[in-house]
Amino acid sequence: MLVRPLVDQERIQREIETLAAFSETPKPAITRVVYTKPDLEARAYLKQLFLEAGLQVREDALGNLFARWEGSAPDLPVVATGSHIDAIPYAGMYDGVVGVLGGLEAIRALQRTGFKPFRSIELLVFAAEEPTRFGIGCLGSRALAGVLTPESLRLLRDAEGRSLEEVRWEAGYMGSLEEVLLPSGYYAAFVELHIEQGPVLEQEGIPLGVVTAIAAPASLQVSLEGAGGHAGGVLMPERRDALCAAAEIILGVEAFAKNSGSINTVATTGFCQVYPNAVNSIPSQVKLEIDVRDVEQSRRDQVIRQIIQGVEQVCTRRDIRYSVEIINMDPPAKSGSEVLKALVAACGDAGVRFKLMVSRAYHDALFMARIAPTAMLFIPCRGGVSHRPDEYAAPEDIARGVHVLALALARLSLAQERESPKDEPTPLED
Ligand code: GLV
Ligand code: MN
Ligand code: MN
């Protein structure tokens, strides 16, 4: 390849540590929810770093942040990288952050070699990849790709009943939501660097994953209403306990996923809110949030149908009122073949062993794939642990991923043609 970027491993580590300080919970537990003070402070820190790197910074009405390194062909579709910095409650310091600070260091490493981009290179920080505040993941990238319209964005409310409109204005994002959508063709390619959030790379001793597809995620909200009452006074035959119904539903969710016939089906009831949540009061209302994923969309949809039928049966038998709301049922994404080729070539340039693999976690790349040829790079994380304070990625693994990312961005930036939408078959996994 034309360039030999030298990655500053220590600098990335320092910046990851600095960013981790912007959190509602003390290190190593990171909580950074979109539009809260730590999120806004973290963004201010990043904007400073982007400006210091000589990048042109802009933010859209949702708070998607773009930092652009102008190429010599500024009118051609742009090459992009990036990820998110929001963190679910009690998360770790690497999820998303590695793709943002790693993307920045990839650009700085290319700058240090004297590389001159042909197509411009943009670093993106997506707003609210995590569903923590508004119940739906990848808010920023969905909106960029037109998967969430301004009308549906305006309907979103957080757990306190505050609208997205209200909280984004309060955070200083006053622009028009109509301007968030990016035209298809704006980006020539998108590459997201991320920790694997699974154990495969570490177990197989392979330093890098090249992601060929992202599994299809879905989530449902189930609301249950029975009858409350005194835990001593109401006899068992009279009860309509909403939490007992929820317990049966939750076990059903587990069983349907386990019995799908594939290890690739996963289902989780990760949220359960009980009212009135008091030891001596029968639970009258319960809200559940259920997450279902599979690399095969039809198998995932079958599990969702089983869950909905299960809710119906349990609630009829127990005389519980219920409603099921599908929050999202997204199709999977396949990586773009030219971007994959650039990633594989970059691994060759860097002399890094890699594995073709699918992502079972979702990422902003799932939605960027709707508007641009997209692929991802995974680095190992210790024990496959993520969404926990003990999440850890080794500095040398991060630096290796950044090195390959830099080489891939350079290749993609120099490419004359944007990848055509027709798909070439690529094996999904090694
Ligand atoms: C992303 O955080 C996911 O839940 O896959
Ligand atoms: Mn996450
Ligand atoms: Mn992430």
Side-chain angles (χ1 to χ4, degrees):
M1 185 60 201
L2 305 167
V3 289
R4 291 196 168 276
L6 265 189
V7 171
D8 189 340
Q9 179 174 316
E10 275 154 34
R11 182 168 182 184
I12 310 178
Q13 286 306 310
R14 276 200 310 277
E15 291 173 348
I16 289 175
E17 291 285 341
T18 305
L19 199 72
F22 302 113
S23 165
E24 269 157 50
T25 45
K27 265 201 259 182
I30 312 299
T31 306
R32 196 184 299 122
V33 178
V34 68
Y35 307 134
T36 59
K37 189 163 175 273
D39 179 47
L40 298 176
E41 286 173 351
R43 285 152 179 274
Y45 168 65
L46 287 179
K47 282 182 254 181
Q48 189 54 38
L49 293 182
F50 297 165
L51 291 172
E52 279 165 21
L55 307 178
Q56 298 162 19
V57 174
R58 93 173 165 93
E59 277 176 298
D60 69 16
L62 267 182
N64 289 311
L65 176 56
F66 306 75
R68 182 182 177 102
W69 184 15
E70 190 88 305
S72 56
D75 298 331
L76 282 189
V78 172
V79 171
T81 188
S83 193
H84 63 100
I85 58 154
D86 62 320
I88 65 163
Y90 302 96
M93 16 195 262
Y94 300 91
D95 175 5
V97 166
V98 159
V100 171
L101 289 172
L104 173 62
E105 178 55 20
I107 289 176
R108 289 186 306 221
L110 288 173
Q111 290 173 336
R112 288 196 286 272
T113 65
F115 176 79
K116 297 277 176 254
F118 174 58
R119 292 170 186 276
S120 302
I121 298 179
E122 268 185 23
L123 174 59
L124 276 83
V125 186
F126 297 99
E129 190 266 356
E130 302 290 6
T132 314
R133 185 153 194 179
F134 294 103
I136 183 158
C138 300
L139 207 62
S141 48
R142 277 178 201 271
L144 284 183
V147 177
L148 263 183
T149 58
E151 296 75 49
S152 40
L153 287 166
R154 281 190 272 270
L155 295 176
L156 292 175
R157 299 263 179 288
D158 67 11
E160 289 168 16
R162 302 186 70 207
S163 70
L164 170 76
E165 287 300 74
E166 186 185 342
V167 292
R168 80 175 172 98
W169 289 335
E170 197 175 277
Y173 298 104
M174 326 277 274
S176 157
L177 291 179
E178 272 66 21
E179 282 159 24
V180 172
L181 175 68
L182 286 177
S184 179
Y186 179 81
Y187 286 118
F190 176 72
V191 182
E192 182 168 358
L193 174 70
H194 206 281
I195 56 169
E196 183 199 336
Q197 304 184 291
V200 175
L201 291 172
E202 187 185 62
Q203 278 170 5
E204 297 188 11
I206 299 178
L208 204 65
V210 171
V211 174
T212 54
I214 303 177
S219 59
L220 321 175
Q221 231 176 42
V222 178
S223 304
L224 305 172
E225 192 174 338
H230 196 286
V234 183
L235 294 177
M236 299 313 280
E238 308 306 320
R239 293 199 181 194
R240 294 170 55 226
D241 183 325
L243 187 55
C244 291
E248 280 196 54
I249 292 167
I250 293 168
L251 290 176
V253 167
E254 182 189 46
F256 297 136
K258 275 188 166 169
N259 299 331
S260 79
S262 168
I263 193 76
N264 284 322
T265 318
V266 288
T268 311
T269 309
F271 178 90
C272 176
Q273 197 177 51
V274 181
Y275 178 85
N277 211 18
V279 67
N280 55 354
S281 183
I282 300 165
S284 59
Q285 288 172 36
V286 172
K287 194 179 255 185
L288 301 177
E289 284 178 10
I290 301 168
D291 176 305
V292 189
R293 312 185 192 201
D294 202 310
V295 286
E296 259 312 311
Q297 185 172 353
S298 57
R299 203 166 45 214
R300 185 218 44 201
D301 292 351
Q302 166 68 5
V303 168
I304 291 177
R305 280 193 293 275
Q306 289 174 318
I307 292 173
I308 295 174
Q309 279 164 11
V311 171
E312 235 167 67
Q313 283 163 8
V314 169
C315 292
T316 307
R317 180 163 33 79
R318 289 180 167 273
D319 193 15
I320 300 285
R321 292 225 310 247
Y322 70 92
S323 64
V324 179
E325 192 188 345
I326 293 175
I327 305 296
N328 63 298
M329 264 176 91
D330 300 302
K334 246 183 116 216
S335 297
S337 52
E338 291 304 314
V339 189
L340 278 178
K341 274 189 210 147
L343 294 183
V344 167
C347 289
D349 296 338
V352 170
R353 273 189 321 130
F354 67 92
K355 177 184 171 67
L356 295 179
M357 60 195 302
V358 297
S359 170
R360 281 161 231 286
Y362 63 70
H363 300 281
D364 292 301
L366 184 65
F367 299 98
M368 289 302 284
R370 307 264 191 123
I371 55 166
T374 291
M376 294 187 73
L377 285 172
F378 274 176
I379 56 166
C381 55
R382 189 176 57 197
V385 164
S386 183
H387 283 185
R388 277 178 24 189
D390 54 340
E391 177 180 273
Y392 176 77
E396 52 283 11
D397 285 332
I398 297 175
R400 198 181 289 108
V402 171
H403 183 187
V404 171
L405 175 65
L407 289 165
L409 293 177
R411 279 184 173 269
L412 291 164
S413 161
L414 297 178
Q416 301 288 324
E417 299 292 330
R418 184 181 193 269
E419 179 176 336
S420 72
K422 64 178 175 336
D423 251 349
E424 283 174 31
T426 317
L428 285 185
E429 283 178 285
D430 279 342

